[in-house]
Amino acid sequence: MTVVGIGADGWAGLSATARAQLCAAEVLIGGGRQLDLLPEADCPGERVAWPSPLRPAVPRLLAAHAGRRIAVLASGDPMFYGIGRALTEELGAGRLRVLPHPSSVSYACARLGWPVEETEVVTLVGRPAAGLAAALHDGRRVLVLSAGAGTPAEVAALLRKHGFGPSRMTVLEQLGSEREDSFSGRAEDWSHAPGDPLNVIALECRRAEGALRLAVTPGLPDAAYEHDGQLTKRHVRAVTLGALAPAPGELLWDIGGGSGSIAIEWMRAHRSCRAVTVERDAVRAERIGRNALALGVPGLRVVGGAAPEALAELPVPDAVFIGGGLTAPGLLEACWAALRPGGRLVANTVTLESEALLARWHRELGGELVKLAVSHAVPVGGFTGWRQAMPITQWSVSKPGGAAEPAEPAETTATAGIGTTSHATSGDRT
């Protein structure tokens, strides 16, 4: 099987090798628009248009044409958000020959004079526009792969909603073809009518004065979240994410989601990070979904129900955070059993009963037991004093069997203006 990338310039833009493969194919598979770009006299193979939804149809179509010479058409580079990934997963790389064409990203950066390696790319093809929010940072350049003619207006509305109305938008249509065109404007007063459905949107991000600044590091402002008080506060959240240590592609279980802040910031750490949050309160579960959309991680999976029962069918986690329900019978046992070797478990509590439970597990399994105390400066008459929040007991531990973690000092105590961190020492481990 050969996968041929084709651009808006059609047959004329293909290499001699790509043309030869298409001419020799007995079956030509692709989108209707792509198939129409091929001259029938030169490409006499049977033409098969992809059905919708596409991904589930791949095995069936390949089986139906087994033993025949197949050429699959893809837009631009087939391995860049294209069908090449699905075919490789189905067949294996050894049975697939890929002939890429310049992608729309390459064309757009060439037209704009943007270095490709310094340009963020977000696709909205088959994905919610809310995912763009996580890529919005003042001064950054972002290319948006459009889902159609209405996407520019949708993107402009999202930019306004998230405080990026001053951002400049450039819509580049039919890149690489004779009908190539572009137009620009500001998101805050975007008034262009829908144009060609084949377009890419270039964003030069500018944050409006007074808009909330959202960093890429853990510890977003508490004001970034809609909540009812069930929120892991900013400074504790930053420490918690540090202990969970997200890495690309990893999966988190966030148990007792509250407002979803831990799962959301886990996913914001890298666009390939995944998370499932478990929340038994239906109102809070809906609120978590809204927070995930607002903060650019619409892929967060929210599971309604009580743990440990709600954990039974979940995929194996790389990390587990328990922010509530620690004393539920069997919860810690179920999380520890489900965690993959080398995975991390972190639990926070403010109650003495749960603290005693964590102390027992710490004695049995080791790890690190920490007391976090954060104080904020507040007015006291005409002066200023410290108001301390409820101290947090945190236990973090790695499951044996994975890569070794860096050694930590056996006992340390650190004091800073906003709070203190104390570490408990452990005796013999079992």
Side-chain angles (χ1 to χ4, degrees):
M1 178 181 292
T2 303
V3 186
V4 177
I6 190 168
D9 49 358
W11 185 253
L14 294 176
S15 67
T17 302
R19 289 186 185 186
Q21 292 294 320
L22 294 172
C23 291
E26 297 172 282
V27 181
L28 298 161
I29 303 176
R33 178 182 60 81
Q34 296 155 346
L35 290 171
D36 289 342
L37 295 172
L38 304 184
E40 293 188 11
D42 296 294
C43 304
E46 178 185 353
R47 300 188 178 209
V48 179
W50 286 116
S52 181
L54 185 152
R55 187 62 178 88
V58 171
R60 176 174 53 81
L61 275 180
L62 298 185
H65 300 287
R68 306 175 72 188
R69 291 191 302 275
I70 301 174
V72 175
L73 288 169
S75 293
D77 185 345
M79 301 306 296
F80 187 73
Y81 292 113
I83 190 62
R85 174 177 178 173
L87 293 174
T88 301
E89 291 172 352
E90 191 67 31
L91 296 173
R95 296 178 57 194
L96 201 65
R97 184 185 186 190
V98 179
L99 302 176
H101 187 277
S103 69
S104 57
V105 169
S106 295
Y107 274 121
C109 287
R111 302 295 185 266
L112 297 164
W114 291 4
V116 177
E117 72 276 9
E118 295 179 6
T119 302
E120 182 87 8
V121 179
V122 177
T123 181
L124 300 187
V125 180
R127 307 186 188 193
L132 174 60
L136 301 179
H137 299 282
D138 197 38
R140 290 293 292 167
R141 292 168 169 173
V142 181
L143 282 180
V144 180
L145 306 184
S146 177
T151 303
E154 188 178 9
V155 167
L158 183 141
L159 291 171
R160 293 192 296 269
K161 177 181 177 182
H162 288 272
F164 281 83
S167 300
R168 180 175 176 81
M169 297 174 51
T170 300
V171 178
L172 302 105
E173 301 177 336
Q174 288 285 334
L175 282 164
S177 80
E178 295 179 350
R179 296 188 292 124
E180 184 175 316
D181 196 10
S182 66
F183 52 91
S184 301
R186 304 282 178 189
E188 58 196 359
D189 53 11
W190 188 261
S191 59
H192 294 281
D196 194 287
L198 192 62
N199 69 80
V200 174
I201 308 162
L203 306 179
E204 297 173 77
C205 297
R206 294 290 180 271
R207 193 174 71 252
E209 185 177 351
L212 196 63
R213 182 179 181 275
L214 302 180
V216 297
T217 53
L220 296 182
D222 293 345
Y225 294 94
E226 178 189 345
H227 64 91
D228 61 357
Q230 291 297 312
L231 174 72
T232 302
K233 299 302 191 291
R234 180 179 189 176
H235 300 97
V236 174
R237 194 184 326 129
V239 173
T240 300
L241 266 295
L244 287 167
E250 289 190 329
L251 172 67
L252 170 74
W253 285 3
D254 176 14
I255 300 170
S259 301
S261 62
I262 296 294
I264 287 169
E265 294 191 30
W266 168 280
M267 292 183 68
R268 283 175 60 91
H270 192 273
R271 59 184 174 184
S272 67
C273 285
R274 299 163 295 137
V276 179
T277 185
V278 178
E279 174 55 59
R280 65 182 179 180
D281 185 283
V283 174
R284 287 176 180 162
E286 290 183 4
R287 186 180 293 119
I288 290 171
R290 292 195 297 272
N291 281 330
L293 287 174
L295 292 168
V297 288
L300 173 61
R301 179 182 173 189
V302 183
V303 174
E309 294 79 13
L311 309 178
E313 303 300 323
L314 300 185
V316 176
D318 298 284
V320 176
F321 171 66
I322 306 175
L326 264 172
T327 55
L331 176 58
L332 269 168
E333 290 83 354
C335 291
W336 186 250
L339 190 65
R340 70 160 180 81
R344 290 87 61 205
L345 186 149
V346 177
N348 289 358
T349 188
V350 296
T351 70
L352 294 176
E353 292 78 7
S354 293
E355 182 179 282
L357 181 64
L358 294 183
R360 177 169 64 81
W361 278 75
H362 175 249
R363 286 194 301 272
E364 294 177 358
L365 297 177
E368 190 174 32
L369 195 61
V370 180
K371 179 81 75 176
L372 304 171
V374 178
S375 300
H376 295 268
V378 296
V380 180
F383 299 91
T384 303
W386 294 107
R387 176 172 294 164
Q388 182 170 322
M390 291 185 70
I392 304 289
T393 298
Q394 180 182 94
W395 177 54
S396 59
V397 63
S398 294
K399 191 170 185 178
E405 295 288 336
E408 291 287 345
E411 182 176 7
T412 60
T413 302
T415 305
I418 61 167
T420 62
T421 304
S422 301
H423 299 255
T425 60
S426 59
D428 294 338
R429 298 183 183 179
T430 58

